[in-house]
């Protein structure tokens, strides 16, 4: 079955950096687009960024553009999220998600069909 296991979350100061990882198994990782999504306390799930199956195309939300970088290593079945210049508002549970093959958008509520258990990112001084 599909498994997505995130890691790398933790506590960071404003302006700091963190790198998240997501190891995928149970499917052919290299043939799927992938995304990072997050959910802050009391808020809806928010799409953060996405990457095409071969890594050549990347897409970012306004909040992530210029600060976050999504990448992947298909040989290692691993998705990454490099987060720089962290802000208090980045505090959330971060999930990697497998994009549904039939999706024509990236940020919709039904664009993904599998998620990991999440890794907590807390930005605090």
């Amino acid at each position: 079955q599909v498994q997505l296991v995130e890691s790398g979350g933790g506590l960071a100061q404003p302006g700091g950096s963190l790198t998240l990882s997501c190891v995928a198994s149970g499917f052919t990782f290299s043939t799927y687009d992938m995304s990072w999504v997050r959910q802050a306390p009391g808020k809806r799930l928010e799409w953060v960024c996405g990457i095409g199956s071969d890594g050549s195309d990347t897409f970012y939300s306004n909040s992530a553009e210029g600060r976050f970088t999504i990448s992947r290593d298909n040989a290692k079945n691993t998705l990454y999220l490099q987060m720089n210049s962290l802000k208090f508002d980045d505090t959330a549970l971060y999930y990697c998600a497998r994009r549904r093959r039939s999706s024509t958008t990236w940020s919709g509520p039904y664009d993904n069909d599998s998620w990991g258990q999440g890794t907590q990112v807390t930005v605090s001084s």
Side-chain angles (χ1 to χ4, degrees), residues 60-69 82 84-85:
Y60 296 92
S61 66
N62 289 340
S63 62
E65 184 78 53
R67 300 188 300 126
F68 293 2
T69 302
Q82 172 69 44
N84 298 325
S85 303

Side-chain angles (χ1 to χ4, degrees), residues 94-113:
Y94 284 72
Y95 302 89
C96 69
R98 189 179 77 170
R99 187 178 183 225
R100 193 180 303 276
R101 286 206 190 280
S102 58
S103 290
T104 57
T105 57
W106 285 87
S107 60
Y110 305 108
D111 281 331
N112 301 302
D113 63 8

